[in-house]
Amino acid sequence: MLRSNKFIKSICAAAIAAVVSHAAISPAHAVEVQRVISPDGIEAWLVEDHTVPIIAVNFAFEGGAAQDPEGKAGLTRLLAATMDEGAGDLDSEAFQSRLEDLAVSISFNTNKDRFFGSMRTLTPTLDEASGLLALALTDPRFDAAPVERMKTSLITSAKRNETDPNGIAGRALSDAMFAGHVYNRPTGGTPESLADLSAEDLRAQHAKIISRSSVTIGVVGAITADQLSAMLDEVFSPLPETSDLQPVEDFVPSTGASISKELDIPQTTVLVGLPGLKRDDPDYQAAFVMNHILGGGTFTSWMFREVREKRGLSYGASTYLSPYQHTGLLIGSAATRADRADETVTVMLEQLTRMATDGPSEDELQAAKQFLTGSYPLRFDSSGKIARQLVALQTTGLGIDYFDRRNAEIEAVTLEDVQRVARRLLQDVEPTVIRVGPVQG
Amino acid sequence: MIKTSRAPRPLPFSGSISTLRRLRRIMLALPVTLAIAASTGLTGTANASEPLQDDLIIAQNLNHFTLDNGLEVVVIPDRRAPVVTHMIWYKAGSADEPEGQSGVAHFLEHLMFKGTASHPDGAFSHMIAERGGRENAFTSFDYTAYFQRVAKEHLPLMMELEADRMENLVLSDEVVTPERDVVLEERRLRVDSEPGSRLREAVNAVTFVNHPYGSPIIGWQHEIEALDKEAAIAFYDRFYTPNNAVLVVAGDVDVADVRALAEATYGKVQRRAEPGERVRSAEPPLSGERRVSVIDPLVRQESVSQTWIVPSQTTGTGREPEALDVLSYILGNGPNSRLRKALVLDAEAAISAGAYYQSGALDDGRFGVYASPRPGFTLDDMETLIAAELEKLLDEGVSDEEVQRAKYSMIASAIYAQDSQTGLARLFGSALTTGQTVEDVQTWPAQIDAVTRQDVLEAARAYLTADPVVGTLRMPAAEEPEAAANTQATPQDKS
C-alpha cells in the first residue's frame, strides 16, 4: 500500500514538484537558486549546474550539542560520528565498503545549535547514494564495536585538547563567558562524560533531533528539480514528523575575567573575548564591516598591522565574530613570544579602544566594503561551498534572494553605523582575556 | 518510523561494464565546450597540450605554452563562477638553499610581500584587499608559490603586480628584522609547541641525512636567526626569474586573453639568472637501525610511524610510482585498507592506522605507515601488528579485487578534484615544479588504470623490505598522564 502510494507519487513528481521561486545571483552570474518542494512537502534549495558530474547535498537539523543532556556532554558529537557506522542490514564495515565502492561520501557533524550532514556523489551513483543516506538517517544501528571505537577516538581528542594551547584557551574562554549556560558544555565532550555514553543514549538523541520538521536542505550540482524532488521524498519523508528539542535560553556572555593557564611551551596563546551579535541582529552587517577593519583576516587589518607588521609579536593576529543562535561573541586571538605576551595583549586591547573611540577613517571603511563585496564571488567556486551556504541562508532566515541583496547591504553600511556598533560592542565593557603559556618572571 | 529497506545493488565494478570504462563515460559526459582548447587559434604554440583520445584526462580543456623569456604558462578555464585563481610558482624551495641558510626560501616568501619601487609598503596586498581578493603564499622542499583569488576583471592587475615583484623587490633592514621575528614565532607555533611536529622534523632529519630534504622547510632556529636582507636577496636574484617559474591561471578566462596578458606583463621581465640544473646531494645507503622518539608530557595520544625513501613520480620508472600509489591505498587508505582492518577493526588495538605515499618530489619521495594504540595497547603492539601485515603483503601480494577497488576510488577522486579550481591549479603547479609534465598529470588516471597486482607486489618487495626509519611519540614513562597537571587557573580581577 505504502509502496504503491510512493510509486505513484514519484511518477507524478514532475508535475507536482513546485519550483516556486527563482533568484539570480549577482556575484555568480550563471547561478540561480530554485526552491524545490517535493510531493511529500520536503523543501530544498537547489543550484543546478551540470558542468562537472558531481552532486553535493548538505542539510542541517535544528538542535546540536546544546541538546546534550546534563552529564552527557559529547553525545550529539558521538551521534554524528556513529550515524555513518552501519544502518539497516549493513553493519559498519558493510556500510563503509558500499560508500567506498560507490566513491560516495556521507558525513555528519554538529555545532552547538545544529546537526549537519552532507553527501557527495557522482551522477551515476545518485540512487545508491540516496539509499545509503536514507538508511543512515532513518535506521542507524549503533552497534557496540563502532560505538566503542568512536568513543575512544573522541576521548583521545578530548584528552589532546587538555594539553593543546588552543584547546586549553578555548575551554577557559567558554568557562569564563558561558558559565551557567548549556553552551558551556564541551561540544566534543570530556573523557569522563564520553566514557559513560551508550547506544541507548544515541538512540534517544537520534529520536530527539532527527526529524522532517526541523531540516533545511541545500543541493548543488548535476541534478534537475525533478530528480531532486524524488530524492527528497526517498531520503527525508521517512523521518519522524517532529523533533523533541529542549528550549535554549538567550543570554549575554560574562565579561571581565583575566585568566592565565600555565603550559610548558615556548609561546603564549592569547584570546580576548567580548559579547558579539547574533546573526539576526540588525547591526550584524555593520559589525561585520567593523570586524573586518579591526582584525578580519586580511593582511591589512589593524590587528595584523600593529601586532605582526609593526612589532613582529606574533605570526597571526586576528578577530572574528562568532554568532550563535542564542548569543554571540567577538573574539581576538594571537600566539606570541612568551616574554612579550603582555605587550601583545596591550596592543590588542588598544585596537579595541581605538575602534570604540576614534573608529576607522572613511577610506578604511571604503576599502573594507570593497574587499567584502569584491570577495563575495569567491564563495561560489565549488559545489560544496555553495551547498553549505544554501543551508545557512535557510537556518539564519536570510531569504532566498540573499545572494542578490548581500552586497547592497554591505554597501549601505555607513561610517556612522560602524561607529555606533563599535561603541555598542567595545565601549564600557571589560574584555575577558585568556593567556596560555609558560610562567613568566 | 518507516524503515527503508532495499535490495543490495550490484557493485559498480561487478557488472559487465568495467569500472574504468564507466568512469570514462562520466568524464566524457562533460560539456564539449569545456573539453578541448585545441581549436582556439593557439594550435601553433610550442607546447599546447594535444587532447588525448578516448581516455580519462584531468582538466581536458587545459592549455599550456611557454613565453620567449622561458616562463611556462598553464591555463585551466573554469566558467562556473566569475572568479580566477592566479598563481606563480618558482622552482626554488628549501632543498635549493645554500648550506647553513635553512629557511631562507621561506623567509624570502614572507619578504616578497614588502613591496617594490613602484608599489612600496605592501601596496600589492592593499590593492588586492581593496578588490576583495584573497592572497597567500607557501614554500615547500622544491617550490615556492604565490597566489591570489580574485573576481576575473582583476586578473590583469594581478599579473602586472606579480610580474613587477618578480624583478623589483625592495628590502630594507627596517622591514626585514621584524619579519624575521614573525618567522621565529611561526616556527614556535608550528613546530616547537607541537610534540608531533617536533617528531616529524626529527624523523625527517634522520631519514635524509645527506640530501637537503632532511632540513626543515621553515629552517633550524639558529639558522633563521642568522638570516638577513643579503641572504634573502641573494636567493631572490638566483632563482626568481621567468625561466625558473610557472604561471598557472585557472578560472573564468579565455586562453587567448591570458596569453596576451602574460606577454604584456611577465613577458617584459628579462631573464634575470640561469639557475641551471637542480642537482642535490644524493642520499647514501645507510646501515643500522634508525629510531627517533619524542617524549613529552604534552602528549596525550602515542603513535608510531615507519618511513621509507622510495621513488617519486619524477624519479620512479615505468609504473613504479603508480604502483606505490595503489599500494598505499590498499595498505592504508579507505575503510577497507589492510592496516585499518587488521589493527583498528579486527584486533581492536588501534585508534587509527594507515599509510601514505608522498609522490610529488623532484628527488625521491617517501612511503610511510603509522598507527596509534587504543588504551591497553602499546607502541610495541602496533609495530608487531604492522610487521605482520607487511609480511603478509610481501609474501602473498594483493588481490585483483583490492587493486580494482583502489583504482576506482583513486580515479573517482580525480573527478571530484575538478570541482575545485584552486585545487586543480595547485595540482599542476606543484607537478611542473617537481619535474613532471602537464601530460604526466593529465594522464594520471590512465597510468593508475594500467597498474597490475604484480606491479604492486614488485613495488612493495623493492622498497618495503628495507629497514624503515621509526618514529615514536610517547608520554613520559611511569607517570600518570594526569590531565593538565601543570595547568592552573588563576582568575583574578583586572586592574
Side-chain angles (χ1 to χ4, degrees):
Chain A
M1 188 63 200
L2 177 73
R3 193 186 188 90
S4 61
N5 192 17
K6 196 170 177 188
F7 176 66
I8 291 164
K9 276 182 180 168
S10 70
I11 55 169
C12 296
I16 300 167
V19 181
V20 294
S21 164
H22 288 246
I25 299 176
S26 56
H29 310 292
V31 182
E32 70 178 26
V33 185
Q34 304 173 47
R35 173 181 281 134
V36 175
I37 299 173
S38 75
D40 286 356
I42 312 281
E43 176 174 343
W45 291 6
L46 166 67
V47 170
E48 187 177 341
D49 179 349
H50 295 269
T51 317
V52 288
I54 297 170
I55 299 160
V57 179
N58 278 51
F59 49 91
F61 295 94
E62 292 293 317
Q67 297 296 324
D68 286 349
E70 174 114 48
K72 294 186 189 293
L75 178 58
T76 310
R77 177 61 57 81
L78 183 65
L79 178 67
T82 48
M83 270 175 58
D84 60 350
E85 289 286 337
D89 296 335
L90 302 172
D91 68 10
S92 168
E93 276 186 73
F95 190 87
Q96 288 291 326
S97 294
R98 290 287 293 152
L99 291 177
E100 183 185 26
D101 291 341
L102 297 163
V104 167
S105 74
I106 289 175
S107 67
F108 300 98
N109 208 343
T110 187
N111 66 12
K112 298 225 179 276
D113 298 314
R114 288 184 184 85
F115 186 88
F116 300 95
S118 74
M119 177 184 97
R120 298 285 178 277
T121 181
L122 301 176
T123 45
T125 46
L126 174 62
D127 286 351
E128 290 93 335
S130 304
L132 289 168
L133 178 59
L135 220 49
L137 283 171
T138 54
D139 195 17
R141 292 166 64 97
F142 304 125
D143 287 336
V147 168
E148 274 312 302
R149 196 168 67 239
M150 289 302 156
K151 271 168 67 172
T152 310
S153 173
L154 289 180
I155 288 169
T156 303
S157 305
K159 283 184 179 166
R160 272 201 199 119
N161 270 338
E162 291 173 347
T163 57
D164 175 76
N166 293 319
I168 296 170
R171 174 86 325 249
L173 191 78
S174 175
D175 285 343
M177 301 190 76
F178 288 171
H181 192 273
V182 288
Y183 274 2
N184 194 32
R185 288 179 198 156
T187 302
T190 66
E192 298 72 32
S193 70
L194 289 162
D196 292 337
L197 299 180
S198 67
E200 274 320 300
D201 292 326
L202 288 168
R203 271 186 268 280
Q205 197 71 351
H206 177 263
K208 197 166 154 185
I209 291 177
I210 307 298
S211 81
R212 279 178 58 163
S213 64
S214 72
V215 72
T216 46
I217 305 161
V219 179
V220 176
I223 184 171
T224 64
D226 289 344
Q227 285 175 302
L228 174 57
S229 194
M231 183 267 218
L232 292 175
D233 278 350
E234 180 183 1
V235 174
F236 296 99
S237 275
L239 298 178
E241 184 54 40
T242 54
S243 44
D244 177 25
L245 301 178
Q246 296 298 309
V248 177
E249 285 182 9
D250 285 6
F251 72 108
V252 178
S254 314
T255 50
S258 175
I259 296 166
S260 296
K261 303 240 176 202
E262 291 175 26
L263 190 70
D264 188 16
I265 51 168
Q267 229 180 17
T268 296
T269 292
V270 175
L271 289 183
V272 175
L274 290 158
L277 297 176
K278 298 198 303 183
R279 184 60 190 85
D280 59 6
D281 193 289
D283 269 341
Y284 191 85
Q285 298 290 34
F288 193 70
V289 174
M290 186 274 291
N291 177 68
H292 180 80
I293 299 165
L294 181 65
T298 73
F299 291 173
T300 52
S301 75
W302 288 7
M303 289 288 178
F304 190 89
R305 280 212 310 265
E306 297 296 325
V307 175
R308 171 167 159 163
E309 292 293 287
K310 286 195 187 163
R311 296 176 179 83
L313 290 169
S314 171
Y315 174 64
S318 61
T319 61
Y320 57 94
L321 287 168
S322 192
Y324 297 85
Q325 206 170 356
H326 300 284
T327 192
L329 291 177
L330 171 64
I331 296 171
S333 70
T336 174
R337 277 176 64 161
D339 60 344
R340 293 176 74 182
D342 287 343
E343 184 184 350
T344 301
V345 172
T346 304
V347 172
M348 291 174 78
L349 296 180
E350 277 170 10
Q351 307 317 309
L352 304 182
T353 310
R354 188 177 136 211
M355 184 59 79
T357 50
D358 304 346
S361 68
E362 186 63 44
D363 284 352
E364 285 174 315
L365 174 65
Q366 286 312 319
K369 284 156 66 167
Q370 278 178 36
F371 175 87
L372 294 172
T373 54
S375 64
Y376 197 50
L378 303 182
R379 297 193 197 176
F380 295 83
D381 66 354
S382 78
S383 309
K385 275 191 203 174
I386 302 172
R388 275 194 297 277
Q389 290 185 85
L390 290 174
V391 172
L393 293 195
Q394 296 171 77
T395 58
T396 51
L398 288 171
I400 200 162
D401 61 342
Y402 180 74
F403 291 155
D404 263 347
R405 288 190 344 254
R406 187 268 190 186
N407 273 358
E409 289 184 9
I410 296 288
E411 288 294 353
V413 172
T414 64
L415 204 55
E416 166 60 27
D417 294 331
V418 171
Q419 286 162 346
R420 183 188 64 252
V421 78
R423 283 194 299 273
R424 181 179 158 196
L425 292 176
L426 307 172
Q427 209 164 45
D428 302 324
V429 56
E430 202 78 43
T432 286
V433 179
I434 312 290
R435 292 175 176 85
V436 179
V439 201
Q440 288 301 302
Chain B
M1 189 191 292
I2 300 160
K3 289 217 173 183
T4 312
S5 65
R6 46 179 51 243
R9 291 167 204 253
L11 296 179
F13 47 78
S14 64
S16 57
I17 305 176
S18 86
T19 308
L20 277 301
R21 199 173 307 151
R22 182 173 171 154
L23 281 163
R24 270 191 201 108
R25 286 188 183 170
I26 301 171
M27 293 290 286
L28 292 172
L30 292 172
V32 188
T33 48
L34 241 181
I36 308 298
S39 59
T40 53
L42 291 162
T43 43
T45 55
N47 299 330
S49 300
E50 289 299 321
L52 296 171
Q53 292 192 342
D54 191 30
D55 226 329
L56 269 170
I57 304 293
I58 296 179
Q60 294 184 52
N61 59 339
L62 175 149
N63 205 280
H64 178 220
F65 52 89
T66 304
L67 301 186
D68 290 342
N69 60 9
L71 180 74
E72 266 187 280
V73 184
V74 174
V75 186
I76 309 169
D78 166 20
R79 304 260 181 205
R80 292 177 300 157
V83 300
V84 174
T85 300
H86 170 247
M87 298 184 124
I88 190 88
W89 294 70
Y90 293 99
K91 295 173 189 172
S94 63
D96 300 296
E97 292 163 343
E99 187 92 0
Q101 292 190 0
S102 66
V104 70
H106 171 255
F107 186 41
L108 174 62
E109 177 225 295
H110 277 235
L111 296 174
M112 284 289 283
F113 292 81
K114 297 304 177 188
T116 64
S118 45
H119 299 101
D121 302 327
F124 192 178
S125 293
H126 281 274
M127 292 165 84
I128 293 166
E130 280 168 10
R131 286 158 183 80
R134 304 266 178 193
E135 64 170 334
N136 218 325
F138 47 88
T139 308
S140 188
F141 290 116
D142 294 316
Y143 52 75
T144 308
Y146 303 80
F147 71 92
Q148 301 87 34
R149 294 175 58 242
V150 289
K152 64 175 178 180
E153 60 269 27
H154 304 309
L155 177 65
L157 182 70
M158 297 302 110
M159 294 175 76
E160 181 195 329
L161 293 172
E162 195 65 83
D164 176 40
R165 74 173 167 180
M166 186 183 280
E167 58 177 345
N168 296 319
L169 180 67
V170 175
L171 295 180
S172 65
D173 289 333
E174 208 178 17
V175 299
V176 168
T177 306
E179 198 61 39
R180 191 174 54 214
D181 288 342
V182 169
V183 172
L184 286 165
E185 284 313 312
E186 185 181 357
R187 190 189 148 83
R188 286 182 192 111
L189 176 78
R190 290 193 197 279
V191 184
D192 303 335
S193 299
E194 293 273 345
S197 303
R198 277 165 30 224
L199 174 66
R200 277 190 293 279
E201 186 174 272
V203 164
N204 215 35
V206 302
T207 303
F208 294 98
V209 297
N210 196 47
H211 189 283
Y213 287 168
S215 292
I217 294 164
I218 197 166
W220 301 112
Q221 176 164 330
H222 68 286
E223 294 187 356
I224 300 172
E225 284 166 352
L227 293 175
D228 56 15
K229 187 179 77 182
E230 286 68 32
I233 289 292
F235 194 82
Y236 176 70
D237 285 342
R238 185 170 157 207
F239 292 112
Y240 281 47
T241 173
N243 45 313
N244 198 45
V246 179
L247 170 67
V248 184
V249 177
D252 191 1
V253 293
D254 274 333
V255 177
D257 291 348
V258 174
R259 187 184 177 89
L261 282 168
E263 277 167 354
T265 54
Y266 293 101
K268 300 281 193 287
V269 181
Q270 299 299 309
R271 290 170 87 104
R272 303 175 63 231
E274 299 298 331
E277 216 184 324
R278 305 169 82 185
V279 181
R280 286 85 171 255
S281 313
E283 197 58 34
L286 277 183
S287 301
E289 200 183 6
R290 280 177 277 175
R291 301 183 75 92
V292 185
S293 287
V294 167
I295 301 168
D296 192 303
L298 297 183
V299 172
R300 282 294 174 273
Q301 176 57 54
E302 299 196 321
S303 64
V304 59
S305 69
Q306 302 184 350
T307 310
W308 294 264
I309 296 178
V310 298
S312 66
Q313 285 283 355
T314 303
T315 60
T317 53
R319 290 197 293 271
E320 214 166 41
E322 293 73 29
L324 286 166
D325 243 339
V326 173
L327 173 63
S328 79
Y329 188 91
I330 292 171
L331 195 56
N333 271 309
N336 285 294
S337 81
R338 289 190 172 200
L339 289 173
R340 182 168 188 275
K341 199 151 168 22
L343 276 69
V344 178
L345 300 179
D346 293 347
E348 298 189 348
I351 280 178
S352 61
Y356 68 90
Y357 169 41
Q358 185 245 321
S359 62
L362 182 67
D363 298 319
D364 280 344
R366 279 169 298 179
F367 193 97
V369 299
Y370 55 87
S372 293
R374 280 176 84 141
F377 293 85
T378 65
L379 292 175
D380 286 346
D381 295 335
M382 298 299 100
E383 291 200 50
T384 307
L385 288 163
I386 288 172
E389 280 309 304
L390 288 178
E391 197 182 319
K392 197 167 85 187
L393 177 85
L394 293 167
D395 279 355
E396 301 163 16
V398 296
S399 71
D400 279 329
E401 197 205 342
E402 284 176 306
V403 172
Q404 281 302 100
R405 199 192 278 272
K407 287 182 185 177
Y408 185 86
S409 187
M410 294 166 79
I411 294 171
S413 74
I415 300 175
Y416 280 112
Q418 321 239 5
D419 194 29
S420 166
Q421 179 184 107
T422 308
L424 275 185
R426 284 184 82 131
L427 183 65
F428 283 93
S430 60
L432 291 181
T433 48
T434 55
Q436 296 276 290
T437 65
V438 165
E439 196 181 50
D440 291 336
V441 181
Q442 288 196 299
T443 60
W444 179 82
Q447 296 163 46
I448 290 292
D449 190 14
V451 172
T452 65
R453 51 187 289 240
Q454 191 57 31
D455 294 334
V456 175
L457 179 61
E458 280 169 17
R461 285 182 177 161
Y463 298 104
L464 303 192
T465 45
D467 281 338
V469 176
V470 180
T472 57
L473 190 63
R474 295 172 186 271
M475 302 180 210
E479 207 181 305
E480 269 306 290
E482 203 174 306
N486 54 352
T487 304
Q488 218 167 11
T490 51
Q492 58 197 30
D493 289 326
K494 254 182 74 91
S495 51

